[in-house]
């Protein structure tokens, strides 16, 4: 594995038994005093909730870039994936236009969320401190491209979109 930096050891299970799950340190910097640090709603959740710093009105069908007021130091060998919150999607038709958004390990700028209101009638109001997206940090392998004249054959082959429909 590349890097190795950022590993803090094993995490605990709710009953106190270690499970050997790697814990990475995620350095975070507040770019604004009013920025909320990412939080987990429940122990063991895969995602950390990201919160808005500013108020925005996002009209029907509109999009907005919502700042979080945070910068992250994603460890080398990892990527930060910004995903929609299921509650906002189900209840208000809110999604992220570029889902998943990708934060590369080398990026040190402000994390911003490309919000999209799919509702055709209602404006959605984002308030400061509102949880607007979730961040999942995952290992990302280094990729070495190998050009070939032919690729290994598979049952699927070149069948693309909709190929699994009966």
């Amino acid at each position: 594995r590349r890097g190795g930096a950022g590993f803090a050891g094993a995490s605990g299970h709710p009953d106190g038994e270690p499970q050997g799950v790697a814990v990475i340190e995620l350095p975070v910097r507040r770019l604004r005093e009013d920025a909320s640090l990412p939080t987990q709603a429940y122990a063991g959740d895969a995602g950390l909730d990201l919160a808005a710093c500013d108020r925005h009105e996002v009209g029907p069908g509109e999009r907005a870039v919502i700042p979080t007021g945070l910068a992250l130091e994603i460890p080398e060998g990892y990527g930060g994936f910004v995903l929609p919150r299921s509650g906002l999607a189900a209840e208000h038709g809110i999604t992220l236009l570029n889902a998943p958004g990708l934060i590369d390990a080398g990026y040190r700028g402000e994390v911003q969320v490309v919000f999209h209101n799919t509702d055709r009638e209602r404006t959605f109001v984002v308030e400061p401190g509102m949880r607007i997206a979730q961040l999942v940090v995952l290992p990302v392998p280094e990729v070495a491209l190998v050009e070939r004249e032919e690729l290994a054959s598979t049952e699927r082959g070149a069948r693309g979109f909709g190929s699994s429909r009966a």
Side-chain angles (χ1 to χ4, degrees):
R1 168 133 218 61
R2 291 182 283 172
F7 279 94
S11 79
H13 189 266
D15 62 12
E17 293 295 315
Q19 297 296 304
V21 177
V23 174
I24 62 166
E25 291 181 358
L26 181 61
V28 58
R29 178 175 170 228
R30 288 183 211 240
L31 302 174
R32 296 173 35 170
E33 285 184 23
D34 59 344
S36 300
L37 291 178
T39 58
Q40 286 178 302
Y42 300 98
D45 280 358
L48 296 161
D49 288 329
L50 297 172
C53 262
D54 297 325
R55 185 178 193 280
H56 289 267
E57 290 189 15
V58 187
E62 292 182 350
R63 64 183 179 264
V65 177
I66 313 286
T68 65
L70 301 173
L72 303 173
E73 187 177 323
I74 306 285
E76 184 180 332
Y78 289 81
F81 297 86
V82 181
L83 303 165
R85 293 192 65 238
S86 58
L88 289 179
E91 296 170 25
H92 304 285
I94 299 299
T95 191
L96 306 185
L97 204 52
N98 64 328
L102 172 61
I103 304 170
D104 288 309
Y107 178 68
R108 296 294 183 268
E110 182 173 18
V111 174
Q112 299 183 70
V113 176
V114 185
F115 222 59
H116 183 220
N117 181 0
T118 66
D119 193 293
R120 295 181 181 170
E121 299 172 5
R122 292 178 295 204
T123 294
F124 185 83
V125 178
V126 176
E127 297 290 349
M130 177 184 281
R131 296 175 300 152
I132 56 170
Q134 50 190 336
L135 170 71
V136 177
V137 179
L138 297 171
V140 178
E142 193 169 326
V143 176
L145 295 178
V146 179
E147 189 172 6
R148 300 256 165 87
E149 290 292 323
E150 296 287 329
L151 300 177
S153 63
T154 65
E155 181 181 346
R156 179 176 180 169
R159 291 186 298 274
F161 298 116
S163 67
S164 63
R165 286 184 237 173

